[in-house]
Amino acid sequence: GTYDELDLSAQQKKPIMVDCPYGKSQIPNWLFGRIKHELFFSSFDECKNYLKGINSGEIEDTLGRWIFFDHKKMFGES
């Protein structure tokens, strides 16, 4: 089930984010033991804005979870 899927994703270093429109207080306690609370969001827009902020550098990646590749540098495009 869900716990096993989250555990496998975490082992594979895949990003896991939780969107709970009812708020963090409604998230089951066991999720707090598996995912950092900074990756819980109250809406999809909040989650999307977090990702945009991480990508642009406006939000500092204090969790060390994100690596972004520069496609142009990797493939020699100018």
Side-chain angles (χ1 to χ4, degrees), residues 2-16 34 65:
T2 303
Y3 187 86
D4 291 330
E5 292 168 1
L6 288 172
D7 192 50
L8 181 61
S9 295
Q11 288 176 20
Q12 294 175 344
K13 306 290 185 203
K14 293 179 179 176
I16 303 165
R34 199 68 203 104
R65 302 276 303 178

Side-chain angles (χ1 to χ4, degrees), residues 38-57:
E38 295 93 342
L39 298 174
F40 292 132
F41 302 94
S42 297
S43 70
F44 179 75
D45 285 338
E46 188 179 322
C47 182
K48 185 172 66 172
N49 289 336
Y50 170 80
L51 290 172
K52 284 181 178 181
I54 289 287
N55 187 44
S56 69

